[in-house]
């Protein structure tokens, strides 16, 4: 069995998830209001479109005409916009928070991964890389991830977001159990 | 830097700070949630949704903001949602938390991030194919839950609040 205490032992000094989550709710409200005032368009928290723009920016270096003529890049627009900076901000916010409370840790492999699959970094890299490809194709098909659908869409009572979140979690639960349950 | 970018950066820094303080960034937390052994991520997300929902519905009712619903494209949401769930469990991060995990020193999240950028590139290449297949099955448009079931949005929000608070009580009782 995985002992939850073991996993969280070095990591337990955070805030209550209820409090931190509720403050994200407050942030979401302010963010929608401020973007409406200052940008003229109500803009909601989300992350996965930024990965499309990052891909577009990367491909542009090699082949600008490919990006210019691709219908999906035309649709999503390859620009460094509000959300792009928001995603970069997540990095710095997490860095700041973890440095301030001492939970920052350079970690080779997640403990739970090492327990089940050993200490090979290349093995983890391949899994994470392939998982990332599959997850992002899925997020783009569904038009959102746990931020865009899970938080923003649910707050607006969007039908698509309720269904998307149910799909994210149910398939996530099935695959996680197949991968990590055995041999506990 | 434009005002859009500054606003985005400030929002992201606070978002990342709160994600880290809520301890939801780590691979172990994400996977433990999917194994239904640790409800931290559910507590965090549902708290955010609950608070955000009442504020956003109120601002919308006052005419201060516009809603931006995502279309209920049946094939896209079902197939895409399933694929996302599979990839999420294997990678152990979602798009937003992968960036935050890097911030708190979990540098191997970079492999997932590179995978997601490559995945986005593959999607852009395959977009015409998806558009004429999965995404063409049935699109119900940008529909909200209140008008779909024919009740006022505050009723839906209050029912959602009761269900959520009931779940919180259950989590705490079970020590999850």
């Amino acid at each position: 069995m995985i002992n939850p205490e073991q996993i969280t032992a070095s990591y337990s000094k955070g805030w209550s998830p209820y409090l931190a989550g509720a403050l994200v709710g407050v942030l979401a409200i302010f963010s929608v209001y401020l973007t409406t005032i200052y940008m003229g368009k109500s803009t909601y928290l989300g992350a996965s479109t930024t990965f499309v723009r990052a891909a577009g920016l990367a491909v542009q270096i090699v082949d600008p005409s490919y990006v210019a003529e691709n219908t999906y890049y035309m649709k999503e627009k390859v620009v460094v916009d509000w959300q792009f900076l928001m995603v970069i901000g997540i990095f710095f916010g997490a860095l700041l928070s973890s440095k301030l409370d001492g939970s920052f840790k350079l970690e080779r492999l997640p403990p739970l991964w090492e327990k089940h699959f050993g200490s090979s970094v290349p093995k983890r890299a391949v899994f994470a890389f392939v998982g990332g490809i599959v997850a992002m194709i899925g997020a783009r098909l569904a038009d959102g991830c746990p931020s865009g659908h899970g938080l923003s869409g649910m707050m607006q009572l969007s039908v698509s977001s309720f269904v998307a979140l149910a799909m994210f979690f149910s398939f996530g639960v099935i695959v996680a159990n197949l991968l990590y349950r055995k041999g506990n | 830097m434009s005002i859009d970018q500054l606003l985005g950066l400030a929002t992201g820094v606070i978002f990342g700070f709160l994600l880290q303080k809520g301890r939801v960034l780590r691979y172990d937390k994400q996977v433990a949630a999917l194994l239904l052994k640790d409800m931290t991520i559910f507590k965090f997300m549902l708290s955010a949704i609950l608070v955000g929902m009442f504020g956003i519905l109120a601002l919308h009712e006052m005419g201060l903001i516009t809603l931006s619903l995502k279309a209920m494209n049946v094939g896209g949401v079902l197939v895409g949602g399933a694929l996302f769930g599979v990839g999420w469990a294997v990678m152990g991060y979602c798009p937003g938390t992968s960036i935050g995990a890097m911030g708190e020193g979990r540098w191997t999240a970079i492999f997932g991030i590179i995978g997601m950028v490559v995945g986005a590139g593959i999607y852009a290449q395959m977009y015409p194919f998806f558009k004429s297949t999965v995404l063409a099955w049935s699109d119900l448009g940008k529909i909200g839950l209140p008008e779909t079931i024919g009740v006022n949005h505050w009723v839906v929000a209050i029912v959602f609040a009761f269900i959520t608070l009931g779940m919180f009580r259950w989590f705490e009782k079970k020590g999850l």
Side-chain angles (χ1 to χ4, degrees), chain A residues 12 69 79 89 147 156 163:
Chain A
S12 54
E69 287 157 24
V79 287
S147 298
Q156 301 174 69
V163 179

Side-chain angles (χ1 to χ4, degrees), chain A residues 22-97:
Chain A
L23 289 173
V24 166
V26 175
L27 175 70
I29 299 166
F30 273 95
S31 172
V32 176
Y33 185 60
L34 292 175
T35 52
T36 310
I37 292 178
Y38 290 106
M39 291 160 53
K41 187 175 183 291
S42 300
T43 310
Y44 291 82
L45 298 178
S48 63
T49 317
T50 294
F51 288 79
V52 177
R53 301 196 174 112
L57 290 171
V59 177
Q60 232 166 24
I61 300 169
V62 195
D63 191 351
S65 61
Y66 172 85
V67 175
E69 287 157 24
N70 178 289
T71 47
Y72 196 61
Y73 290 127
M74 278 195 265
K75 178 174 175 279
E76 300 293 351
K77 296 187 182 63
V78 180
V79 287
V80 178
D81 66 341
W82 177 89
Q83 193 198 81
F84 205 107
L85 268 292
M86 205 280 288
V87 170
I88 292 172
I90 292 175
F91 174 87
F92 289 104
L95 178 66
L96 182 70
S97 166

Side-chain angles (χ1 to χ4, degrees), chain B residues 38-161:
Chain B
D38 180 335
M39 292 294 134
T40 308
I41 286 175
F42 289 92
K43 294 174 189 175
F44 183 93
M45 280 188 81
L46 289 169
S47 301
I49 293 165
L50 195 57
V51 171
M53 180 182 287
F54 280 87
I56 282 167
L57 291 179
L59 287 177
H60 181 239
E61 197 162 282
M62 291 186 275
L64 295 173
I65 59 164
T66 52
L67 295 183
S68 171
L69 303 187
K70 291 171 187 294
M72 182 56 216
N73 183 304
V74 178
V77 171
L78 292 180
V79 176
L83 283 175
F84 183 85
V86 172
W88 185 15
V90 174
M91 177 168 48
Y93 298 109
C94 61
T97 53
S98 67
I99 307 288
M102 289 280 293
E104 59 169 7
R106 274 68 191 185
W107 60 272
T108 40
I110 191 72
F111 302 117
I113 294 171
I114 296 169
M116 287 190 282
V117 174
V118 171
I122 294 172
Y123 185 81
Q125 169 66 26
M126 289 178 72
Y127 183 60
F129 165 76
F130 287 129
K131 214 179 163 192
S132 61
T133 52
V134 182
L135 295 174
W137 293 346
S138 168
D139 193 344
L140 306 177
K142 298 180 174 185
I143 48 173
L145 193 57
E147 63 264 29
T148 304
I149 54 176
V151 281
N152 182 279
H153 49 269
W154 291 115
V155 177
V156 180
I158 288 165
V159 171
F160 183 86

Side-chain angles (χ1 to χ4, degrees), chain A residues 6 13 21 24 26 28 35 37 74 87 96 98 103 120 123 128 130 144 149 154 159 176:
Chain A
Q6 271 174 358
K13 290 177 292 172
V24 166
V26 175
T35 52
I37 292 178
M74 278 195 265
V87 170
L96 182 70
S98 62
S103 58
S120 159
K123 189 175 175 185
V130 174
H149 267 307
M154 294 281 285
V159 171

Side-chain angles (χ1 to χ4, degrees), chain A residues 98-115:
Chain A
S98 62
K99 281 286 184 189
L100 286 177
D101 68 11
S103 58
F104 181 91
K105 189 182 160 201
L106 282 174
E107 185 181 88
R108 266 178 84 244
L109 288 170
L112 184 63
W113 171 272
E114 212 164 342
K115 191 169 184 279

